[in-house]
Amino acid sequence: MTTGAPISANTARPRRSALRRYLPLGVAVWLVLEIWLLTLVAGAASGLTVFLLLAAGFVAGSVVIKRAGRRAFQSLNEALQRGGSPERGGGNGLMMLGGLLMMIPGLISDVAGLLLLLPPVQKAVSRYTENALEKRLRTATPGSLGDAFQQARMHRHDGKVVQGEVIREERPEPGGQRPPLTR
């Protein structure tokens, strides 16, 4: 014996986005390439050279992140003293991302992090990201951010959705006294 709504046989799973489908494959390929390149360098030079390269990348990445964070804090502080908002296009976020990529062990991530430190690359990546985000926001439908911005809903047994709101009225018991609101 079952209770509740009957489960229909044609309930299809929602389609996964291309990013969710190919991201694990991309990360796996990236890891294999990083390991392959590290073994090539270790074979050509030595294991100590690879270790020193990875340590230098970590130290350089931490210095870049610290510097970018300090610059972002100073920019915010100056903007608050002027009474305005911080300037756009400072590149601090991309510098922090570049530093983070340099801190990740691997030579490919180090090269990508170093590229993000170059101002022309920062401008190009920033422009591309802003255009892609603007295009996405223009084509977004209202309420597409998921259940966070939707109203409370009740599901009927036949699968139809009825919008509603729950109102709970608490009435004191007859003859009973309520405790004081403040203590």
Side-chain angles (χ1 to χ4, degrees):
M1 175 184 239
T2 61
T3 59
I7 299 173
S8 63
N10 61 356
T11 56
R13 289 179 22 196
R15 189 177 170 145
R16 296 178 87 181
S17 67
L19 179 67
R20 287 186 60 197
R21 180 179 299 145
Y22 296 118
L23 184 66
L25 179 65
V27 169
V29 167
W30 171 63
L31 288 174
V32 168
L33 284 174
E34 288 278 18
I35 292 170
W36 175 73
L37 188 60
L38 286 174
T39 56
L40 272 178
V41 172
S46 69
L48 181 63
T49 305
V50 170
F51 176 74
L52 291 176
L53 282 172
L54 293 178
F58 185 82
V59 170
S62 62
V63 168
V64 167
I65 287 178
K66 184 177 179 181
R67 183 173 169 230
R70 187 176 294 148
R71 191 176 349 160
F73 184 72
Q74 285 175 349
S75 172
L76 177 65
N77 205 6
E78 290 171 2
L80 290 176
Q81 287 177 356
R82 283 190 317 250
S85 62
E87 61 188 44
R88 288 181 54 115
N92 294 323
L94 289 175
M95 281 186 71
M96 286 186 180
L97 179 62
L100 180 66
L101 284 172
M102 289 172 63
M103 288 178 71
I104 295 174
L107 299 177
I108 297 172
S109 60
D110 287 349
V111 169
L114 285 172
L115 283 175
L116 277 178
L117 297 181
L118 300 174
V121 175
Q122 284 181 356
K123 287 180 183 176
V125 169
S126 177
R127 196 175 322 118
Y128 174 77
T129 305
E130 286 177 4
N131 290 340
L133 186 63
E134 184 179 324
K135 187 171 97 173
R136 253 223 184 178
L137 288 176
R138 256 189 273 122
T139 61
T141 58
S144 63
L145 294 176
D147 292 335
F149 298 109
Q150 290 183 355
Q151 295 179 355
R153 295 183 173 192
M154 271 187 339
H155 293 275
R156 292 177 38 180
H157 67 281
D158 57 358
K160 293 181 182 176
V161 177
V162 179
Q163 291 188 0
E165 183 178 331
V166 176
I167 300 174
R168 180 178 293 162
E169 293 181 18
E170 295 184 18
R171 295 188 178 113
E173 296 178 13
Q177 290 199 353
R178 301 183 94 182
L181 295 177
T182 59
R183 290 186 178 194

